[in-house]
Amino acid sequence: MSRIVLVDANNFYASCEMVFEPALAQRPLVVLSNNDGIVVAANEPAKRLGLKAQPFFRIRQLLRRHGGVARSSNYTLYADMSRRFHRLLARHASAQEIYSIDESFLLVPEGLGAEWGRCLSDQVRQWLGLPVAVGMGRTKTEAKLANYWAKRYRLFDGVVDAAALAEAVRTVLLAQTPVSALWGVGRRLSRRLQAAGVHTVADLLSHPGDVVRQLGHLPLWRVWAELQGQRHYAVQTQPQASQTLVCSRSFARPVTALAELEAALADYVMTVMQKLWRQQLVAGEVAVFAAGSRFAQGAAVPAWAQHKLMTPTEDVVAVLKLARRLLHQLYQPGRSYRKVLIRLGALQPRHQVPAGLFSRPSRAQQALQAVQARFGPQALFLGRQGALQPQADWQMARNRRSPRYTTCWAELPQVS
DNA sequence: TCTGGGGTCCTAGGACCC
DNA sequence: TCTGGGGTCCTAGGACCC
């Protein structure tokens, strides 16, 4: 049986920023969400100040007082760094599951241990400049937990092999680790477990399986079983086809006018259709959601409208028409909106749908796709889209974005 | 003043059937 | 007056993940 390894990058977005601006490592650094709304990543100095996920406006003063820096999310940069990161890891594994932008599960031969893990970690650091944590175990859940320990306890130096821990060490770690640190145990479930007297991972493991099943339903039982070495989650080497595709953005300011909502929606439709085309899927369902701010007076109430299609489609104009109709259905005049969302559902591979049961792309759409493929996704767009309207000040703000060092000729790093 | 975006999975409960 | 029981399917919404 092979071993499972979880490698993830520490403070990924913040680390990407520091790769190209090493001086930032000495100062508190936070990376903000879209619209510079909340903190989504922080480097070690910032964490020492207690900075973590929370609204930016609340920590602005504190950050300034300590000479800190805030950056807007630079997804172009992070996505490119992520691609390099996963590709490097793939060289060292017989199989790889890219689990998130900064995490991979790897299958490696039995017999490799912490020493191997340290070499891997060194190489990632050397080649990409990214600090990582490595967790090794019999199952994904155990690898996750080992990775948690690797990050949390300095003496492990970023690498833990759960199988190689001395029994006494393992016992102490299990007794010190809160259940909420387990994969799949969120806020609500951990509250329930606490109420039942289960505070630590050791507490959970002290119960028999049927009791665990009662306490928390199937997923918790699986986690419990995986911690004893039974595999319930396989390393998924093939990316799974999406079941739904979403595009959603918050606005930089409250929006009341239907025309502005429509323009934003058209932008999101184009984006979500590009995802659909990339995966060669067709959509059987279209849904639109719009809502105001939870914190504002006179804000629109969250509302969904959706429509099932008689025949699945990949036609951007048809989807846009439908989405606009749905938006009109749920629009609340006079109320202010903070976000609009489009979701495509009932997806299936386009080649599995019998010809004639869905509309083939029109000549116009084929031309659109050809131009976008050649000159980039922004090269050609629909007239309804708001992206290029000069007055579209509702668009997402990213006022503190770093250069796209690795993907844009005009923004290459300069050495002097 | 300012509070993200993109997903999956599970469960409860309603509708419907015999 | 009395008003079953069991099954399936679908949907909405919650919980959780990064």
Side-chain angles (χ1 to χ4, degrees):
Chain A
M1 194 147 116
S2 48
R3 319 210 50 213
I4 297 182
V5 184
L6 175 66
V7 186
D8 77 341
N10 305 341
N11 319 325
F12 182 61
Y13 297 171
S15 296
C16 288
E17 297 289 339
M18 294 189 293
V19 167
F20 295 93
E21 220 175 313
L24 289 176
Q26 313 308 321
R27 312 163 64 183
L29 166 69
V30 297
V31 179
L32 306 175
S33 65
N34 285 334
N35 275 321
D36 297 341
I38 65 177
V39 174
V40 293
N43 70 353
E44 292 305 325
K47 282 185 174 170
R48 283 198 290 275
L49 287 179
L51 300 181
K52 49 181 190 215
Q54 60 191 309
F56 179 43
F57 72 88
R58 279 208 203 122
I59 57 123
R60 200 174 211 150
Q61 297 303 324
L62 178 70
L63 191 67
R64 188 176 301 159
R65 270 206 308 281
H66 289 84
V69 178
R71 285 285 156 80
S72 305
S73 289
N74 186 346
Y75 286 108
T76 315
L77 176 66
Y78 311 150
D80 186 59
M81 291 298 284
S82 169
R83 192 179 52 79
R84 294 164 195 250
F85 171 69
H86 291 303
R87 211 162 54 182
L88 196 167
L89 297 180
R91 303 160 62 111
H92 296 277
S94 57
Q96 175 184 38
E97 174 184 344
I98 297 177
Y99 179 66
S100 76
I101 192 164
D102 70 335
E103 279 174 89
S104 259
F105 285 103
L106 308 176
L107 276 180
V108 301
E110 202 64 50
L112 295 185
E115 198 176 321
W116 171 86
R118 199 148 289 119
C119 290
L120 180 64
S121 149
D122 288 346
Q123 192 181 55
V124 178
R125 166 78 84 157
Q126 205 174 10
W127 289 26
L128 298 177
L130 295 174
V132 299
V134 179
M136 309 178 71
R138 295 166 291 176
T139 59
K140 283 175 136 182
T141 305
E142 198 174 49
K144 263 284 202 193
L145 185 58
N147 178 281
Y148 170 87
W149 290 332
K151 276 213 201 74
R152 191 149 180 106
Y153 298 95
R154 285 199 98 96
L155 78 144
F156 291 129
D157 193 24
V159 181
V160 168
D161 176 5
L165 292 173
E167 199 47 46
V169 175
R170 187 185 170 89
T171 306
V172 170
L173 288 174
L174 289 174
Q176 280 187 7
T177 307
V179 268
S180 58
L182 287 175
W183 203 19
V185 179
R187 223 181 17 207
R188 188 173 152 137
L189 183 53
S190 70
R191 262 208 310 266
R192 241 175 62 199
L193 291 172
Q194 308 258 0
V198 177
H199 302 281
T200 66
V201 179
D203 292 340
L204 186 71
L205 290 175
S206 72
H207 287 93
D210 52 339
V211 173
V212 171
R213 183 73 180 76
Q214 299 273 311
L215 281 172
H217 308 308
L218 200 52
L220 184 70
W221 178 83
R222 287 198 190 118
V223 163
W224 173 89
E226 283 227 321
L227 287 175
Q228 347 234 354
Q230 301 170 27
R231 282 194 188 168
H232 289 269
Y233 297 107
V235 172
Q236 307 265 359
T237 53
Q238 291 303 314
Q240 306 293 298
S242 299
Q243 297 179 34
T244 57
L245 291 171
V246 173
C247 180
S248 145
R249 302 268 184 280
S250 293
F251 303 129
R253 61 162 169 83
V255 168
T256 306
L258 182 58
E260 289 181 324
L261 293 177
E262 288 180 325
L265 182 64
D267 284 339
Y268 307 165
V269 165
M270 178 58 85
T271 302
V272 83
M273 292 305 287
Q274 287 169 341
K275 295 183 191 177
L276 188 80
W277 298 334
R278 219 171 296 133
Q279 291 195 43
Q280 311 231 15
L281 299 170
V282 291
E285 189 185 293
V286 176
V288 171
F289 170 86
S293 163
R294 280 180 298 150
F295 308 97
Q297 296 269 317
V301 177
W304 282 98
Q306 55 183 313
H307 183 85
K308 284 190 195 333
L309 296 159
M310 298 290 283
T311 57
T313 188
E314 60 173 343
D315 184 314
V316 62
V317 174
V319 170
L320 178 57
K321 256 187 206 157
L322 179 52
R324 282 162 49 87
R325 215 176 68 211
L326 295 171
L327 178 66
H328 289 203
Q329 280 173 26
L330 56 77
Y331 176 65
Q332 302 154 38
R335 302 209 163 249
S336 69
Y337 285 87
R338 198 68 207 198
K339 92 171 344 176
V340 167
L341 172 154
I342 172 114
R343 185 184 70 198
L344 304 179
L347 305 180
Q348 18 177 353
R350 118 194 248 279
H351 62 80
Q352 273 178 19
V353 181
L357 278 190
F358 78 107
S359 30
R360 296 278 164 199
S362 64
R363 297 278 303 278
Q365 176 163 320
Q366 288 173 27
L368 172 80
Q369 288 173 296
V371 171
Q372 289 180 344
R374 174 92 199 269
F375 299 102
Q378 315 290 339
L380 192 60
F381 51 93
L382 303 173
R384 296 272 187 196
Q385 286 184 242
L388 295 194
Q389 293 175 4
Q391 72 280 20
D393 61 343
W394 42 264
Q395 280 184 59
M396 175 167 84
R398 264 187 206 169
N399 299 323
R400 305 150 184 274
R401 186 178 59 71
S402 51
R404 291 163 293 192
Y405 297 108
T406 61
T407 55
C408 181
W409 288 113
E411 300 179 17
L412 286 180
Q414 296 184 8
V415 180
S416 49

